[in-house]
Amino acid sequence: MTDFLLRQMRHGIWANERLLERCRALTDEQLDLTVPGTYGTIRKTLAHIVSAEEGYLVRLLGSLLHEPPLREPDLTLEGIAAHIAHVTNAVERLFAKGSPDPDRVIADTPLRRAGAPRFEMAAWAPAAQFVYHGIDHRSQIDTILSTHGLETLDLQIWPYAMELGASREVKETR
Amino acid sequence: MSTAPMLRQMRHDVWATEMLLERCRSFTMEQLQLTAPGTYGTIQKTFAHIVRADEGYLNTYGLIPQPFLELSDDTPLEQTASRLARVRDAVEQLFRSKEHDFDRRIHDERRKLDLELWVPLAQFSHHGSDHRSQICTILTLHGLDVPDLDVWAYATAKGASVRF
């Protein structure tokens, strides 16, 4: 059975990639659109999603994905694409030897700055946060696009499952 | 024995909806009818939509029968909360039963789909998070406090994350 978290993380990456493709068709001015109540501009929010995902994976893997690590990013779309590739690679590495133990206690992260508080947590927490955080912020980007009359994308599990062949429409009634 | 990651994800989802509902219980009728451009609708209707959809996803596994929660602009919050409690119980029931094979493909007559059983569960988490995010946008837009609904807050509340 494919690990459920792996399925969800792969869906998150798929959704980020779809959203990035959508953003490539926007002008610079459109990428800088926002609406009150959201994280920020479209571009900044997408960079924030990917940067946070790298952070969760660094904590889960116990090592940096690359040097120097990504902090407070001000990324171009090409930069975002490059970091999505890092996330994809790290997710597959995380599950390469089977399902990680969700109850393993992670004592710290290599990304912690000097003097910053240390958190000990069960491994399921950053893994679940990876999934939740992306959905939350992609929803905000969807709201920004919609508010400004721009075409939105269906990033739910349904179209993802269709693409994978895990769901298909049945025309005839059985 | 470890708790299944899928169960943790769904428990977080139900917890987050409960927390957000709790935040909105003290709202006036006018506040519950607030909305924002680009979102699903009013706060009240979005809550009903989240929980009704949860019922539908769990119905796939034979856990919650129809009829589902009525969807309208004025579905009472109490009614939504009561149905959410049933959703919470159904989630626990799903994982109490024998090991499910979530890779198994079934025919879903209601949706006219053939699908693998992991799909509605993943959609359960996605759908709730997506629409709670919209409610939070509405609250922020109208200057109302937003509770922290992320997994960090949940893990801290459950003692699974501790600050040193």
Side-chain angles (χ1 to χ4, degrees):
Chain A
M1 189 157 63
T2 305
D3 190 288
F4 188 65
L5 268 172
L6 176 56
R7 286 198 190 284
Q8 288 189 301
M9 287 182 168
R10 284 176 174 164
H11 165 260
I13 292 166
W14 170 87
N16 288 344
E17 287 173 339
R18 293 279 311 270
L19 203 46
L20 178 69
E21 274 317 298
R22 176 74 188 93
C23 288
R24 287 185 197 278
L26 301 178
T27 64
D28 273 349
E29 291 71 25
Q30 288 171 327
L31 288 171
D32 286 332
L33 290 172
T34 186
V35 296
T38 61
Y39 178 79
T41 67
I42 292 172
R43 188 190 344 241
K44 186 178 175 188
T45 306
L46 190 52
H48 171 67
I49 293 169
V50 177
S51 161
E53 288 176 354
E54 287 202 355
Y56 306 137
L57 288 163
V58 166
R59 189 180 287 272
L60 285 160
L61 289 164
S63 58
L64 297 179
L65 307 191
H66 47 76
E67 293 273 11
L70 187 59
R71 295 186 194 273
E72 297 170 12
D74 182 15
L75 295 174
T76 62
L77 293 186
E78 288 316 309
I80 292 170
H83 286 285
I84 290 176
H86 286 301
V87 169
T88 305
N89 178 274
V91 165
E92 297 303 325
R93 274 199 291 135
L94 182 63
F95 290 88
K97 293 177 182 168
S99 299
D101 175 6
D103 294 328
R104 177 175 64 92
V105 174
I106 301 175
D108 204 354
T109 172
L111 285 174
R112 184 164 66 92
R113 294 176 191 274
R118 180 174 69 82
F119 288 86
E120 280 189 6
M121 63 183 71
W124 65 262
Q129 173 68 11
F130 177 110
V131 176
Y132 169 82
H133 184 262
I135 299 168
D136 187 21
H137 285 294
R138 284 190 297 272
S139 177
Q140 293 180 346
I141 294 176
D142 185 85
T143 298
I144 297 169
L145 291 171
S146 182
T147 300
H148 291 283
L150 296 164
E151 188 186 339
T152 59
L153 297 172
D154 187 355
L155 299 176
Q156 298 185 89
I157 303 291
W158 298 126
Y160 175 66
M162 287 280 184
E163 263 192 43
L164 285 184
S167 173
R168 70 179 177 85
E169 196 176 345
V170 179
K171 300 287 186 196
E172 74 283 10
T173 306
R174 294 179 181 183
Chain B
M1 184 181 158
S2 287
T3 303
M6 195 183 321
L7 174 55
R8 291 204 191 278
Q9 200 88 40
M10 295 180 76
R11 281 177 176 163
H12 163 258
D13 197 272
V14 172
W15 170 87
T17 305
E18 285 174 338
M19 290 277 293
L20 195 54
L21 257 173
E22 207 45 47
R23 168 73 188 95
C24 297
R25 273 182 194 273
S26 60
F27 283 7
T28 63
M29 291 306 294
E30 289 71 27
Q31 286 174 318
L32 288 174
Q33 294 301 313
L34 291 173
T35 187
T39 63
Y40 176 79
T42 67
I43 292 173
Q44 196 163 355
K45 187 175 182 181
T46 306
F47 271 124
H49 174 65
I50 293 171
V51 175
R52 178 188 164 89
D54 287 349
E55 290 181 325
Y57 303 136
L58 291 165
N59 174 267
T60 314
Y61 308 91
L63 291 163
I64 288 190
Q66 296 194 58
F68 304 142
L69 178 64
E70 185 194 350
L71 181 62
S72 75
D73 275 330
D74 50 8
T75 305
L77 229 49
E78 287 306 320
Q79 195 181 344
T80 303
S82 158
R83 291 299 189 97
L84 182 57
R86 190 169 71 151
V87 165
R88 187 197 326 114
D89 292 345
V91 166
E92 297 299 326
Q93 196 184 332
L94 176 63
F95 287 88
R96 262 200 307 272
S97 51
K98 286 181 184 172
E99 183 91 359
H100 285 278
D101 178 3
F102 290 107
D103 286 347
R104 187 163 64 87
R105 185 179 285 266
I106 61 151
H107 174 65
D108 183 341
E109 182 57 33
R110 184 164 60 87
R111 298 187 181 91
K112 302 283 186 262
L113 291 174
D114 281 346
L115 51 80
E116 293 177 10
L117 279 172
W118 63 268
V119 175
L121 286 195
Q123 174 65 16
F124 181 108
S125 286
H126 184 279
H127 186 261
S129 299
D130 187 15
H131 286 293
R132 284 191 305 273
S133 180
Q134 294 181 346
I135 293 176
C136 290
T137 296
I138 297 169
L139 295 178
T140 308
L141 178 66
H142 292 282
L144 296 161
D145 284 344
V146 176
D148 192 354
L149 302 176
D150 63 15
V151 178
W152 299 137
Y154 176 70
T156 301
K158 299 297 171 190
S161 175
V162 180
R163 177 182 170 145
F164 288 93

